[in-house]
């Protein structure tokens, strides 16, 4: 990544489309990892069996372009931005897409009700409670 480019982050939640099988989540992660690496985007995807919550980080143009692709992806419905803005330093610099499942549907349901820094703080608070795979 160009060292002069500012980092930008987006945190969103969405719901798995009713006609999409659960197996599509692995396909999303498998395709996103190399694509994100190519675009210098990192982040973490959490899935609770129904909801996605993802934090994306990288250059603003790339992150926003990816968000638009996600908004138009038929496998997601109800895409809701909880937070977006400049980021001082990457949280997930060691992998293009970390993925984990949440044991409790309550965690993402509660996170979905927040916005701004409160949403980011709640997302970061989830990190020690999940097992993730890079």
């Amino acid at each position: 990544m160009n060292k002069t480019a500012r980092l930008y982050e987006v945190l969103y939640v969405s719901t798995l489309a009713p006609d999409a099988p659960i197996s599509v989540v692995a396909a999303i992660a498998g395709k996103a990892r190399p694509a994100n690496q190519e675009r210098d985007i990192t982040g973490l995807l959490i899935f609770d069996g129904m909801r996605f919550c993802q934090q994306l980080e990288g250059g603003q143009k790339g992150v926003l372009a990816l968000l638009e692709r996600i908004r138009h992806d038929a496998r997601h419905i109800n895409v809701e931005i909880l937070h977006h803005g400049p980021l001082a330093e990457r949280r997930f610099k060691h992998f293009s897409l970390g993925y984990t499942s949440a044991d409790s549907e309550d965690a993402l349901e509660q996170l979905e009700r927040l916005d701004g820094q409160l949403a980011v703080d709640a997302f970061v608070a989830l990190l020690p409670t999940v097992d993730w795979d890079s």
Side-chain angles (χ1 to χ4, degrees):
M1 179 173 167
N2 179 347
K3 296 292 183 194
T4 62
R6 288 185 359 176
L7 285 174
Y8 194 80
E9 75 175 331
V10 169
L11 177 65
Y12 76 88
V13 292
S14 64
T15 304
L16 183 66
D19 59 342
I22 295 282
S23 61
V24 78
V25 179
I28 289 171
K31 187 175 179 184
R33 284 182 175 135
N36 286 1
Q37 187 170 14
E38 184 178 306
R39 294 174 178 92
D40 198 27
I41 293 175
T42 55
L44 177 67
L45 174 66
I46 300 174
F47 182 65
D48 70 5
M50 185 173 88
R51 282 182 201 81
F52 296 96
C53 181
Q54 185 171 19
Q55 188 264 359
L56 301 166
E57 55 194 24
Q60 182 174 359
K61 187 175 180 178
V63 168
L64 293 177
L66 176 54
L67 181 61
E68 274 309 299
R69 283 193 297 281
I70 291 167
R71 284 181 185 266
H72 293 97
D73 185 332
R75 299 171 294 187
H76 295 263
I77 59 171
N78 304 325
V79 177
E80 201 175 320
I81 308 306
L82 303 178
H83 169 77
H84 64 94
L87 178 65
E89 120 181 46
R90 290 180 191 259
R91 289 185 190 91
F92 306 106
K93 61 186 165 200
H94 297 294
F95 45 85
S96 57
L97 176 66
Y99 168 74
T100 186
S101 57
D103 293 335
S104 165
E105 289 183 18
D106 294 345
L108 295 187
E109 184 178 351
Q110 291 172 5
L111 188 96
E112 188 174 35
R113 296 181 191 141
L114 303 174
D115 63 4
Q117 192 59 47
L118 288 174
V120 172
D121 293 345
F123 178 78
V124 170
L126 286 175
L127 300 182
T129 67
V130 296
D131 293 325
W132 18 332
D133 176 24
S134 58

